[in-house]
Amino acid sequence: MLYVSTRGHANKQHFCDILLEGLAPDGGLYLPETYPQVSDATLTRWRGLAYADLAFEILSLYIDDIPAPDLRALCARTYTEEVFGTRAITPLRRLAEKPAGADVGKGQGGLKSERVLAEVAPLYLQGLSNGPTLAFKDLAMQLLGNLFEYELARRGETLNILGATSGDTGSAAEYAMRGKHGVSVFMTSPYGRMSAFQQAQMFSLTDANIHNIAIEGVFDDCQDLVKAVSNDLAFKRKYKIGTVNSINWARLMAQVVYYFAGYFQATRGNSEEVSFSVPSGNFGNVCAGHVARMMGLPIKTLVVATNENDVLDEFFRTGVYRVRRSADTHATSSPSMDISKASNFERFVFDLLGRDSEKLRGLFARQLAENGYFDLSADPAFKDAAQRYGFVSGRSTHANRLATIRDTDARFGTVIDTHTADGLKVAREHIRPGVSMIVLETALPIKFAETIVEALGHKPARPAKFEGIEALPKQVVVMAPEVGTVKAYIARHCEPVA
Ligand SMILES: *Cc1c(COP(=O)(O)O)cnc(C)c1O
């Protein structure tokens, strides 16, 4: 399998080369040259597999430069009950009404129309947030940690990962890379601005290769610092600076697996179709659903659910993709979806345009760069987004989230987090008779406890292993937002060049 850049760069690459690289040299994103097709017989064979074995089967269609026994071992080491809390890794649970009489008149009381819909189509939550940091990013990042360690050892190289986080990505990266050989993490975050739980999760790590850098500023300052360091090519080369952001193909590929796992749990045979509703920000998660669907997984619709930062909903409704200025980005109660542009979106547009990289360059490298938007509303391809690729969308507000959290608790006895609430709210608008709807649960409620308290009046349950983490000693350095200071710190603490 070879990988191509969305912007048409002539060099095709193998998996392990793009694993350690971010963008393609022409600024595009990597995609496989073709999507491997999965036959009915293969689906049947995969149906009974354990998650790690399913991951191996899917990954081996995309990776031809890691020997099969090694890849199998990497999958087996990554997707364990010990790391993900359950044998199913991404367990499906059906949202079923509590017995009549219980809690009648409490909460929202339920929406009548949906009561009917729930009878014609089962509604499920797929739990993607039982990993070490309680958000779905662990599913890909844990694999990435093992892949990095493997490939760096094979090449005799080292890597220093530099990132900026406002929460979920940074902790997922740190828990994936902690204790790994040949790789260190330097994670900047805005000082004092993450929730107490998120700070405790990250700062309580004591591994020598994990470096928390709290920047006296906001998230944008952190991102600017990362960019400034990465733009210093001499420094970047000398200190082997890399990233683990969501445009990394390996992360996307790892996410394809749970769409298959969800499908197998919700269906009995391959003639059944299901829909997925995906709380979306950078379009990484739902793009993996698109890839699964392109491989032949029987997915009816992919529901793109956004919060008030509705860049993606606007596109799927109108055909206009309009990047927001950072001043126009809302700080919401589903903060991991607070984006001004969707960094993985270019991958889908590439497919939508029939993989015409020249046309794609015109949209992303010219129109978007010059005007801040592009408009496909008059392009015949835009109709394909829904008809051919199954995309629909919707948005949700803070009030919608609170109502959905209350309603889900009252009727189904299930507490969901704010991002999952966005997914469920929009899923309701797209339930069709006879097609199961799977809402991806992207985080556990404990990560966003303040909003749960606002909705329900009490704190969400906390997994036992996180009891009292706020009281643990913290390993973090506080720094002014100065590039020189950050560089000096990295130079002093980086992995020795192998
Ligand atoms: C990252 C994240 C999202 C958004 O996922 P994308 O791949 O960026 O679309 C949604 N929910 C949670 C909890 C997240 O951490």
Side-chain angles (χ1 to χ4, degrees):
M1 173 65 72
L2 288 169
Y3 290 85
V4 297
S5 164
T6 49
R7 301 199 185 175
H9 193 271
N11 262 3
K12 296 177 183 177
Q13 304 260 43
H14 284 276
F15 175 79
C16 288
D17 293 319
I18 66 166
L19 170 68
L20 300 169
E21 227 182 282
L23 290 173
D26 57 0
L29 306 186
Y30 284 111
L31 269 180
E33 202 166 24
T34 58
Y35 294 114
Q37 295 301 298
V38 173
S39 68
D40 187 62
T42 304
L43 281 180
T44 301
R45 185 164 63 80
W46 287 359
R47 191 170 270 283
L49 294 181
Y51 194 96
D53 295 326
L54 179 63
F56 167 73
E57 294 288 338
I58 295 173
L59 266 47
S60 56
L61 300 176
Y62 289 99
I63 303 175
D64 57 10
D65 51 355
I66 296 178
D70 293 2
L71 185 60
R72 190 181 279 286
L74 285 166
C75 291
R77 197 138 51 83
T78 303
Y79 297 111
T80 66
E81 184 173 353
E82 197 195 343
V83 174
F84 287 96
T86 67
R87 232 155 62 87
I89 309 296
T90 62
L92 207 64
R93 63 180 192 279
R94 183 156 178 185
L95 291 179
E97 296 268 355
K98 291 201 288 192
D103 289 328
V104 168
K106 212 174 131 188
Q108 296 292 293
L111 307 170
K112 260 223 180 79
S113 58
E114 196 200 333
R115 225 175 259 275
V116 178
L117 279 175
E119 284 160 20
V120 291
L123 181 60
Y124 296 97
L125 279 183
Q126 187 176 0
L128 305 184
S129 43
N130 302 308
T133 72
L134 309 183
F136 87 95
K137 290 185 175 70
D138 287 330
L139 279 158
M141 210 68 96
Q142 287 288 318
L143 180 74
L144 204 65
N146 286 326
L147 281 170
F148 272 26
E149 186 177 52
Y150 173 87
E151 186 57 19
L152 289 169
R154 198 159 69 155
R155 296 177 178 212
E157 289 176 10
T158 57
L159 188 70
N160 293 291
I161 292 166
L162 175 62
T165 189
S166 53
D168 292 343
T169 308
S171 55
E174 291 189 351
Y175 279 77
M177 303 296 166
R178 63 186 296 201
K180 294 273 188 290
H181 296 290
V183 51
S184 281
V185 177
F186 295 84
M187 191 56 65
T188 61
S189 59
Y191 178 57
R193 287 180 192 258
M194 292 191 298
S195 75
F197 185 85
Q198 284 175 320
Q199 291 186 46
Q201 256 189 331
M202 285 178 59
F203 301 165
S204 63
L205 289 180
T206 54
D207 307 77
N209 70 331
I210 302 299
H211 305 276
N212 288 301
I213 306 177
I215 299 292
E216 292 169 323
V218 294
F219 176 60
D220 279 340
D221 296 316
C222 301
Q223 273 192 312
D224 289 346
L225 285 167
V226 169
K227 261 185 224 153
V229 174
S230 303
N231 286 343
D232 180 344
L233 292 183
F235 184 88
K236 192 178 167 190
R237 212 165 299 134
K238 178 165 183 201
Y239 293 103
K240 308 273 179 201
I241 304 295
T243 58
V244 287
N245 51 26
S246 82
I247 57 154
N248 187 301
W249 164 257
R251 281 181 63 183
L252 208 142
M253 177 191 66
Q255 291 167 188
V256 171
V257 178
Y258 54 71
Y259 284 88
F260 282 83
Y263 175 78
F264 291 138
Q265 292 175 77
T267 60
R268 291 209 202 127
N270 308 336
S271 59
E272 287 179 56
E273 283 188 316
V274 305
S275 294
F276 285 91
S277 179
V278 188
S280 292
N282 275 316
F283 205 75
N285 197 350
V286 75
C287 195
H290 165 67
V291 172
R293 195 172 180 278
M294 295 301 279
M295 293 171 72
L297 188 68
I299 297 175
K300 177 96 175 157
T301 55
L302 288 164
V303 182
V304 178
T306 75
N307 62 20
E308 291 89 334
N309 298 292
D310 55 359
V311 183
L312 289 167
D313 178 43
E314 181 177 45
F315 174 79
F316 287 107
R317 274 187 299 104
T318 67
V320 176
Y321 181 66
R322 186 170 54 89
V323 166
R324 311 295 196 252
R325 294 176 314 167
S326 45
D328 294 333
T329 306
H330 305 267
T332 75
S333 49
S334 45
S336 300
M337 292 156 59
D338 292 351
I339 47 99
S340 55
K341 63 179 170 67
S343 32
N344 274 288
F345 188 54
E346 184 171 326
R347 287 196 160 105
F348 170 65
V349 176
F350 185 53
D351 284 340
L352 186 65
L353 300 177
R355 297 204 151 197
D356 181 340
S357 43
E358 202 178 306
K359 195 166 165 187
L360 183 120
R361 272 201 310 276
L363 295 183
F364 281 87
R366 282 190 288 279
Q367 291 190 36
L368 203 56
E370 283 159 25
N371 312 324
Y373 78 97
F374 61 74
D375 183 352
L376 287 181
S377 60
D379 193 309
F382 174 59
K383 274 210 305 290
D384 289 348
Q387 279 171 13
R388 189 149 162 233
Y389 297 101
F391 277 99
V392 297
S393 71
R395 80 195 280 278
S396 149
T397 63
H398 181 68
N400 294 142
R401 280 190 278 289
L402 294 181
T404 305
I405 290 167
R406 281 189 203 114
D407 181 64
T408 309
D409 180 42
R411 279 199 299 143
F412 305 123
T414 297
V415 180
I416 55 173
D417 102 290
T418 50
H419 306 75
T420 309
D422 290 330
L424 183 51
K425 184 265 178 186
V426 180
R428 285 173 162 163
E429 297 158 5
H430 296 283
I431 291 176
R432 296 290 171 267
V435 183
S436 294
M437 175 64 81
I438 300 175
V439 178
L440 298 185
E441 178 190 60
T442 54
L444 287 197
I446 184 66
K447 289 197 96 167
F448 305 95
E450 294 80 1
T451 309
I452 304 301
V453 170
E454 190 182 343
L456 301 178
H458 61 80
K459 284 191 187 155
R462 176 183 287 234
K465 63 180 171 180
F466 293 100
E467 246 5 290
I469 57 166
E470 287 91 341
L472 292 173
K474 294 186 171 50
Q475 182 180 281
V476 56
V477 292
V478 181
M479 240 176 246
E482 292 162 3
V483 185
T485 317
V486 174
K487 278 183 181 167
Y489 185 85
I490 294 174
R492 269 203 314 279
H493 295 92
C494 66
E495 287 285 315
V497 174

